[in-house]
Amino acid sequence: MSDADTASRFVPAADGLRLHYRDVGRGAAGALPVVCLPGLTRTTADFDVLAAHLAGGGAAGPPRRVLSLDYRGRGGSDHDPAPANYSVPVEAGDVLAVLAAADVPEAVFVGTSRGGLIAMVLSGIRPGLVRGAVLNDIGPVLAPAGLERIRGYVGRLPPPRDWDDAVRTIQGYAGAQFTGLSAEDWLHFARTTYVERDGGFAGRYDPALAEGLRALDPSKPLPVLWDQFAGLSAAPLLVVRGENTDLLSEDTAAEMLRRHPDAALFTVPGQGHAPLLTDPATLARIADFARRCDEARPEASAAPSARLY
């Protein structure tokens, strides 16, 4: 894959806000594109390794076109002057705007945390769009302990002084979650979390995102999303769960597999919320799943030679 096969693109949202996405690879005939949706404060940078793996072909299967999105207020997308628009319904609409501009009528979705919630919503409002879903450490029920931990650091941490300080900062809130990372992994984690700007360091998201988290009342039960999850039942599902996660419980993961007719669970050892999707085993598992989704498409199922038995 050449540099010419990788591009940053910008499209307007329905309200005119400028949205950024990364477009990697050209994709082989018959290979579904993959759309990557990041977590609450995360960006397209989280998927650079996965995108290169899937777009490169070879052992990963047929080369794929991979799109990864920055929601409004994150990465290269414009900040929204109305923080109330930092919501799953609005961001789902933004995803649809990007896919329309990119001419992607169907895809395999990889949704990390909030991205998985958006994938569930999309499956309900646009049947046929989601031809397969990888839910990365997210489900219809959120464990309160994990949500409280996230509330404790989003928008609350001082900017780091240098990359070593950035690593220490992340280890402070995620060290117990990620017990199997190397020094190189931690530096990668830091570089996808912060950006050097104007001689200093900054997060890759609008701090106003924290307002939505602070508005949650910890004394009240969190809403459950089993109805939205049911929208994914028409396509294969891969649940990726961090071994040390505090957001997706074992019971919720098991119930997801029980309710879905074509689901599998993949546990990432030594990682928590949310797995980084950069280790060889996880990359290979997602590539295998994408091939499974190619075969499961209605057109592929109808062809006598679509699968070997």
Side-chain angles (χ1 to χ4, degrees):
M1 183 182 65
S2 68
D3 291 342
D5 293 328
T6 300
S8 281
R9 306 189 192 280
F10 296 88
V11 301
D15 59 3
L17 207 74
R18 191 179 73 153
L19 304 170
H20 168 255
Y21 71 98
R22 294 274 287 169
D23 197 343
V24 179
R26 300 181 182 180
L32 283 161
V34 174
V35 174
C36 298
L37 304 178
L40 174 67
T41 64
R42 308 299 299 181
T43 70
T44 61
D46 285 0
F47 300 107
D48 286 350
V49 174
L50 177 62
H53 183 73
L54 295 175
R64 296 183 188 278
R65 184 184 181 194
V66 183
L67 278 65
S68 52
L69 282 73
D70 283 335
Y71 313 129
R72 57 182 62 211
R74 288 81 146 185
S77 294
D78 287 346
H79 290 193
D80 196 313
N85 287 334
Y86 295 140
S87 67
V88 168
V90 172
E91 290 159 13
D94 290 347
V95 173
L96 291 176
V98 168
L99 297 184
D103 192 24
V104 175
E106 59 178 1
V108 177
F109 283 75
V110 179
T112 294
S113 193
R114 188 183 188 93
L117 301 180
I118 292 173
M120 292 183 210
V121 170
L122 291 174
S123 71
I125 63 178
R126 188 64 61 84
L129 173 64
V130 181
R131 292 300 186 184
V134 179
L135 297 185
N136 183 21
D137 213 64
I138 192 69
V141 181
L142 305 182
L147 193 59
E148 281 301 300
R149 182 179 60 83
I150 294 168
R151 279 164 51 104
Y153 68 81
V154 171
R156 297 176 180 268
L157 300 176
R161 299 181 299 274
D162 52 35
W163 286 116
D164 288 340
D165 191 34
V167 168
R168 287 191 293 269
T169 297
I170 297 172
Q171 288 174 331
Y173 64 77
Q177 294 273 303
F178 292 86
T179 56
L181 298 189
S182 66
E184 183 180 0
D185 293 331
W186 279 113
L187 182 57
H188 175 81
F189 202 161
R191 289 187 179 277
T192 56
T193 301
Y194 295 102
V195 62
E196 289 186 88
R197 183 185 301 141
D198 300 328
F201 288 75
R204 293 175 179 260
Y205 64 93
D206 183 352
L209 278 171
E211 293 184 18
L213 288 174
R214 294 183 188 127
L216 294 175
D217 185 346
S219 68
K220 296 181 180 179
L222 295 169
V224 296
L225 301 174
W226 289 114
D227 288 345
Q228 290 79 1
F229 176 77
L232 298 174
S233 62
L237 170 68
L238 175 63
V239 180
V240 175
R241 182 176 184 271
E243 179 185 31
N244 302 325
T245 183
D246 57 2
L247 195 71
L248 176 61
S249 71
E250 292 184 4
D251 287 346
T252 297
E255 183 64 12
M256 291 164 73
L257 266 60
R258 189 189 71 79
R259 293 190 183 213
H260 195 285
D262 185 1
L265 173 66
F266 181 79
T267 301
V268 183
Q271 297 195 27
H273 184 79
L276 304 181
L277 309 184
T278 57
D279 62 283
T282 304
L283 294 173
R285 185 65 183 86
I286 293 175
D288 287 344
F289 177 76
R291 287 194 291 264
R292 165 81 181 89
C293 294
D294 290 340
E295 298 173 353
R297 276 194 299 180
E299 314 88 88
S301 301
S305 59
R307 182 182 294 184
L308 298 177
Y309 292 92

